[in-house]
Amino acid sequence: MNLFIAFLFLLPSSTYITGDALSGGIKERCGFQNQIERAYLPSMPGWPKTLTSHPNYASCGATMTDLDGDGIMEIMAGSTSGEFKLWDIDGNIIWEKSGLGMIQSKPAIGDIDLDGEKEIVITNRTNTIYIWNFDGSNHPGWPAYVGETSGLKSPVLFDLDGDDTLEIILGERDYPKGKINVFKQNGTLLWSDTLDYMCVATPAVGDIDNDSIFEIVAASYYSIFVWDANGNLEPGWPLTIAPAGGMSYSQPTLVDLDNDGNLEIAITYYDWNLSNDYLGIWKYDATTFLGWPQDLWGGQSYGTPVPADVDFDSIIELCDASSHYMNGPLHLFSSSGTEEPGWPFYFSGFLEGTPVVFDFDDDGYMELLVANNSTPGEIYVLNYDGTQIPGAPFDVQGTFMVNGATVGDADGDGDIEICLLVTSGTTAYVNLFTLESIPYKGYLAPYFSWFHDIWNTGWMHPACPNGLSLSTTRAVVRAEWNKNQEPDIYGYFVYRSDSTGGPYQKLNTTPYIDTFYFDTTVIEGQKYFYTVSAVIKAGTESYLSLEDSITIPASVFEREHTTPCLNIFCPTLNRKFLEIKFTNLKAKNNKIEIIDITGRRIREWNIHKSSGILITKLPRGIYFITLNKETILQKVIVL
């Protein structure tokens, strides 16, 4: 446990105010017999904000992301009174809308038309899908009117056909038989199919059978359905798992539990015949995964199963709860179906929300954060062994209900912010909490947002990169790794440490698209430890790759450099011209590249002869010459 954060939560607010924090510390909570001092999380300046909520329907689904690419996140939420608001980091309204109908879902956010700007996709409870551009204007072709969408489920985005634009996937409640609709970004209906009863949960999307064709997974009140990207039912599906009815609002979670390359389908459901709720897991071919289902010990559950390797044993655990059970349990199961030591954890009141997973206290381990349904409510933060962190639970204004938080570095200063909405009566509170000086580590946040990511895919990915290798020449380290196979990879982060296991420094602030990186900030004689992570376009970062290390040799004076096959010459008086003379190349196909200091490829030549001369003009900067991506042959400084 980080001592700083323990100090933050256990002292009165009058003795601790951070640069980010507006408030935080201790308050008195009155009970029938005595008064108990309770902690609460500090807020960013200008927060919380409020929305009007319907008295009979709690609001949910506040989230945050960087919409305009400036490195600072915007915060957004809708309400069951028909409002939707977009705020900047300081709590100023960028734009707002009203008269939308009851909104009771989390937005999906992505660049659906490949124009470089993210759009916001949201549904109301009745029959409308809205898509707004960053400035609040309607995206062409939207809104669209469909059947009954209902609440507590959200739209999903994914590129199903490989054209880089995003399709919109939506489940409709539509009594007595629900639907799945898939739209193109321009509003055209791509396909639609009918379920055997109402569709009451957010769909999920992923390549469950590892055939490079993406499947959509959805649940009716009775059954699980799986379609391919073109709307054809996959073999073995649908599968009826609750013959008497009882599917919940739980999104199916797609995760590879046995490392065979295929995705398992995990879902929470209620069996009216047995009056119990369960967490069930099925393989891609509709066969039951060994060790499942597991009893959650209560009535109908609304939480979505959350997978994460919280104890770093290379085995994924799954977290799930029984919702309709006063002071009921939150479970943590191993992938084999056994309860983890120290679990379940018993909450005060009811629990209908879904946890997010991240390193809350900078102890190098992942914690689970979720709030209960009390009013005022409580935010619980649990360690991997089922214990609470010091100071928890933290008070919050109202009930969480069927909901989830989003965490990240919202203001770009490196520390953690938590976006979380609760409802009290007719007021919904959109909170933006801050954990100043506690760094946000994306590689320890595998489930940073409700429904996994900002596209709401429900697919546990990306995998961590593999094949990391290091080489060094002239005080430059080249890191290389294998390309991830997921199609929605945004790029990679490279991390470095002076000691094995970290703490790590992130070397690139934005994801790097290539699978190699040049580190020019090393010191001769120093040993360094490197690791790499992958990031998807929907925001989730992978766990870290296996670490590799290298010791930097003594530096060499700059001089014209000759190898058995290359002579590199940069004239002293006019260095803007670079001459590369090659001879005796043995292979039939060779590639010579010029890379700048950021790792960007500036020039490349495919060579099909054994000798020749290459001449190119370069602007000022530092460059590296490589042959067949294997060796840094020369560092060139252009004045």
Side-chain angles (χ1 to χ4, degrees):
M1 174 66 190
N2 183 288
L3 293 178
F4 174 85
I5 203 164
F7 176 80
L8 164 63
F9 296 134
L10 296 178
L11 287 183
S13 59
S14 60
T15 65
Y16 181 83
I17 297 292
T18 76
D20 281 352
L22 176 66
S23 61
I26 298 286
K27 68 179 179 182
E28 289 186 349
R29 185 171 186 180
C30 296
F32 292 104
Q33 309 246 344
N34 50 31
Q35 290 185 336
I36 304 172
E37 287 191 334
R38 299 294 295 273
Y40 61 106
L41 296 173
S43 295
M44 290 284 287
W47 298 87
K49 312 306 293 185
T50 60
L51 295 162
T52 303
S53 199
H54 190 283
N56 298 327
Y57 295 90
S59 301
C60 62
T63 192
M64 60 183 183
T65 194
D66 179 8
L67 287 174
D68 55 1
D70 65 352
I72 307 298
M73 294 188 184
E74 286 74 38
I75 295 87
M76 67 195 74
S79 79
T80 51
S81 70
E83 297 176 300
F84 190 94
K85 295 184 181 181
L86 180 71
W87 296 275
D88 67 19
I89 193 67
D90 299 315
N92 303 307
I93 292 179
I94 299 174
W95 50 260
E96 60 184 314
K97 296 178 180 292
S98 60
L100 302 173
M102 287 190 193
I103 292 178
Q104 199 178 29
S105 62
K106 178 195 170 197
I109 307 161
D111 182 5
I112 65 173
D113 57 357
L114 204 63
D115 67 348
E117 296 182 354
K118 294 185 179 76
E119 286 77 37
I120 300 168
V121 184
I122 193 74
T123 61
N124 64 16
R125 280 185 60 94
T126 49
N127 63 358
T128 311
I129 313 171
Y130 299 97
I131 301 184
W132 299 304
N133 300 313
F134 174 72
D135 62 3
S137 61
N138 287 330
H139 192 69
W142 302 91
Y145 304 96
V146 293
E148 182 191 3
T149 52
S150 186
L152 306 179
K153 66 175 179 292
S154 298
V156 177
L157 306 178
F158 203 78
D159 177 15
L160 293 173
D161 55 9
D163 67 353
D164 291 329
T165 63
L166 301 180
E167 280 69 51
I168 297 96
I169 305 163
L170 181 69
E172 294 183 21
R173 185 176 182 271
D174 281 351
Y175 177 83
K177 291 189 176 182
K179 288 181 180 178
I180 287 291
N181 293 323
V182 178
F183 296 89
K184 297 292 289 182
Q185 59 85 19
N186 61 7
T188 302
L189 179 64
L190 195 60
W191 59 264
S192 179
D193 200 9
T194 302
L195 284 64
D196 58 0
Y197 200 59
M198 297 182 294
C199 179
V200 294
T202 300
V205 61
D207 181 9
I208 67 170
D209 52 5
N210 200 24
D211 63 353
S212 300
I213 299 174
F214 296 92
E215 286 79 33
I216 295 167
V217 183
S220 75
Y221 206 56
Y222 301 122
S223 307
I224 301 175
F225 288 74
V226 180
W227 299 268
D228 67 18
N230 297 313
N232 304 303
L233 282 168
E234 288 286 302
W237 304 95
L239 176 69
T240 299
I241 63 173
M247 201 65 70
S248 77
Y249 299 109
S250 166
Q251 182 190 41
T253 295
L254 310 182
V255 56
D256 184 3
L257 294 174
D258 53 6
N259 297 313
D260 66 351
N262 301 311
L263 302 179
E264 280 68 53
I265 300 170
I267 192 167
T268 312
Y269 66 99
Y270 180 75
D271 191 323
W272 286 101
N273 283 332
L274 301 175
S275 299
N276 280 326
D277 52 4
Y278 298 92
L279 171 56
I281 303 179
W282 288 267
K283 297 181 71 67
Y284 73 94
D285 60 1
T287 58
T288 303
F289 194 68
L290 185 64
W292 299 89
Q294 290 296 323
D295 193 340
L296 297 178
W297 305 356
Q300 189 169 8
S301 178
Y302 295 153
T304 293
V306 176
D309 182 12
V310 294
D311 55 3
F312 297 110
D313 63 354
S314 299
I315 298 174
I316 293 175
E317 289 78 37
L318 291 107
C319 178
D320 207 350
S322 178
S323 299
H324 288 181
Y325 184 153
M326 186 67 173
N327 304 323
L330 178 69
H331 298 272
L332 187 70
F333 298 105
S334 73
S335 56
S336 64
T338 58
E339 191 95 49
E340 288 290 300
W343 296 83
F345 177 86
Y346 290 89
F347 281 80
S348 171
F350 294 97
L351 178 67
E352 294 182 336
T354 297
V356 290
V357 182
F358 64 107
D359 184 1
F360 179 91
D361 53 11
D362 196 25
D363 64 351
Y365 290 90
M366 291 174 280
E367 285 78 38
L368 294 89
L369 180 147
V370 68
N372 67 6
N373 277 17
S374 300
T375 301
E378 298 165 313
I379 299 172
Y380 289 81
V381 184
L382 305 174
N383 296 306
Y384 70 91
D385 60 0
T387 60
Q388 295 190 68
I389 70 158
F394 307 107
D395 277 354
V396 70
Q397 303 96 332
T399 182
F400 199 48
M401 215 203 55
V402 182
N403 206 345
T406 297
V407 300
D409 176 16
D411 56 359
D413 66 354
D415 60 26
I416 296 171
E417 278 75 45
I418 304 167
C419 177
L420 183 147
L421 181 151
V422 294
T423 303
S424 179
T426 57
T427 303
Y429 295 88
V430 181
N431 291 284
L432 188 62
F433 301 117
T434 183
L435 308 181
E436 187 172 326
S437 86
I438 306 300
Y440 177 70
K441 302 172 184 175
Y443 58 84
L444 290 180
Y447 203 96
F448 75 94
S449 186
W450 193 19
F451 306 137
H452 181 264
D453 51 57
I454 63 171
W455 290 1
N456 298 337
T457 67
W459 174 17
M460 188 68 177
H461 74 301
C464 63
N466 58 47
L468 175 63
S469 63
L470 307 172
S471 60
T472 181
T473 301
R474 294 176 177 261
V476 176
V477 171
R478 178 185 175 115
E480 294 186 81
W481 56 92
N482 296 329
K483 182 180 179 180
N484 274 51
Q485 296 305 304
E486 298 94 340
D488 55 339
I489 294 295
Y490 182 46
Y492 303 88
F493 285 122
V494 181
Y495 294 87
R496 188 186 73 190
S497 177
D498 294 334
S499 58
T500 185
Y504 294 105
Q505 173 193 1
K506 185 189 290 185
L507 297 183
N508 51 317
T509 56
T510 58
Y512 187 66
I513 60 173
D514 281 311
T515 56
F516 60 89
Y517 182 86
F518 291 107
D519 182 7
T520 62
T521 63
V522 294
I523 300 172
E524 63 179 79
Q526 177 71 46
K527 186 174 185 179
Y528 294 99
F529 301 82
Y530 290 83
T531 184
V532 182
S533 68
V535 187
I536 59 174
K537 295 174 184 177
T540 306
E541 185 175 350
S542 74
Y543 297 122
L544 294 177
S545 71
L546 292 177
E547 186 184 74
D548 197 8
S549 63
I550 196 166
T551 301
I552 310 305
S555 62
V556 181
F557 290 107
E558 292 290 337
R559 64 180 183 273
E560 307 308 335
H561 182 71
T562 302
T563 72
C565 56
L566 288 184
N567 179 274
I568 299 169
F569 178 65
C570 196
T572 303
L573 296 180
N574 191 5
R575 303 197 91 181
K576 64 183 179 180
F577 288 98
L578 176 69
E579 177 183 300
I580 303 173
K581 183 178 181 180
F582 58 92
T583 57
N584 301 318
L585 293 180
K586 303 298 183 183
K588 292 183 179 179
N589 298 306
N590 296 278
K591 179 174 287 189
I592 296 174
E593 297 176 287
I594 301 176
I595 311 295
D596 71 11
I597 196 170
T598 69
R600 186 167 59 97
R601 185 181 297 106
I602 303 299
R603 302 279 192 278
E604 66 175 283
W605 296 270
N606 292 305
I607 309 299
H608 304 291
K609 55 185 179 179
S610 63
S611 62
I613 297 176
L614 305 171
I615 299 176
T616 187
K617 185 177 180 180
L618 296 170
R620 295 178 180 179
I622 299 175
Y623 303 91
F624 307 94
I625 315 301
T626 70
L627 174 63
N628 298 329
K629 294 187 177 182
E630 294 179 356
T631 308
I632 303 170
L633 296 175
Q634 172 76 0
K635 180 172 75 175
V636 176
I637 302 175
V638 178
L639 302 178

